[in-house]
């Protein structure tokens, strides 16, 4: 049996090594898909939340450096701001990556349909009011679940009491019932 387990491990290790040596080909995307993906990303605003990453990182670095060397606050602030501005151009790298991800995930037709919908009045309203509706739906679901839980508990307890009450052995007068041991 041990020989069989060793053999299985050897085959598994060989399979892992062979699979690692086979090059994985990236799914090619066309320029049209990238262009459509960029339009979809813009319509959805999916990368807007990333706009504050660099400013937040710069602010955090300034605070750390100023705490360590408070006498150089002006120099630290100017230097970090200058360097952050030179890195701001790298934001385009994230947009390119996002466009590639969307282009690989959705077909050209799907990207165009998504963009068309989210540029429409209904799509814009969904983007703006969707989070509010989702939050309200979660509240409603919590209230509903509490009511269902209460009613389930009440109904099941009533039913069990009725069933246990009728199937319990009759009590003989003059005897003392002892509670069941727990």
């Amino acid at each position: 049996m041990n020989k069989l387990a060793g053999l299985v491990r050897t085959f598994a290790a060989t399979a892992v090594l062979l699979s690692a040596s086979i090059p994985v080909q990236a799914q090619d995307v066309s320029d049209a898909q990238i262009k459509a993906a960029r339009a979809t990303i813009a319509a959805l605003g999916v990368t807007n939340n990333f706009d504050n990453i660099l400013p937040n990182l710069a602010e955090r670095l300034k605070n750390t450096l100023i705490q360590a060397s408070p006498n150089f606050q002006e120099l630290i602030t100017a230097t970090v701001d200058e360097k952050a501005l030179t890195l701001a151009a790298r934001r385009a790298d994230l947009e390119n990556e996002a466009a590639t991800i969307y282009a690989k995930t959705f077909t050209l037709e799907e990207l165009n349909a998504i963009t068309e919908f989210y540029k429409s009045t209904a799509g814009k309203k969904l983007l703006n009011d969707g989070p509010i509706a989702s939050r309200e739906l979660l509240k409603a679901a919590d209230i509903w679940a509490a009511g269902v839980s209460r009613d389930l508990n009440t109904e099941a307890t009533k039913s069990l009491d009725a069933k246990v009450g009728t199937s319990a052995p009759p009590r003989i007068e003059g005897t003392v019932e002892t509670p069941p041991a727990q």
Side-chain angles (χ1 to χ4, degrees):
M1 191 66 154
N2 285 339
K3 287 183 180 182
L4 181 59
L7 187 59
V8 168
R9 279 191 293 256
T10 303
F11 281 132
T14 303
V16 169
L17 290 174
L18 287 175
S19 67
S21 66
I22 298 172
V24 177
Q25 293 184 355
Q27 179 183 353
D28 291 331
V29 293
S30 68
D31 289 338
Q33 281 177 290
I34 293 291
K35 183 178 178 184
R38 286 182 188 281
T40 300
I41 289 166
L44 291 170
V46 293
T47 59
N48 293 350
N49 292 337
F50 306 130
D51 289 344
N52 292 325
I53 291 175
L54 181 57
N56 289 343
L57 290 171
E59 199 60 38
R60 195 174 343 160
L61 179 59
K62 285 189 276 188
N63 290 336
T64 302
L65 294 174
I66 290 169
Q67 224 173 19
S69 303
N71 295 339
F72 297 103
Q73 180 175 352
E74 288 181 27
L75 178 61
I76 291 169
T77 300
T79 303
V80 172
D81 287 346
E82 175 189 337
K83 296 303 175 185
L85 284 173
T86 62
L87 294 173
R90 290 178 52 185
R91 177 66 168 80
D93 296 341
L94 181 58
E95 292 295 323
N96 292 335
E97 190 62 31
T100 302
I101 290 167
Y102 269 66
K104 287 180 179 179
T105 304
F106 301 102
T107 66
L108 181 60
E109 293 77 22
E110 292 167 336
L111 289 167
N112 289 332
I114 293 167
T115 302
E116 185 178 328
F117 172 73
Y118 281 101
K119 283 187 170 182
S120 73
T121 304
K124 289 176 184 176
K125 183 161 180 68
L126 179 61
L127 285 173
N128 289 331
D129 297 343
I132 295 167
S134 293
R135 188 173 51 246
E136 292 300 315
L137 178 58
L138 288 175
K139 283 183 198 176
D142 285 343
I143 293 167
W144 175 82
V148 168
S149 175
R150 178 198 62 231
D151 294 347
L152 176 61
N153 184 22
T154 301
E155 296 299 319
T157 301
K158 255 195 259 182
S159 181
L160 287 171
D161 284 348
K163 291 176 182 175
V164 170
T166 58
S167 64
R171 189 169 168 209
I172 302 172
E173 259 188 80
T175 62
V176 179
E177 282 188 16
T178 57
Q182 290 190 17

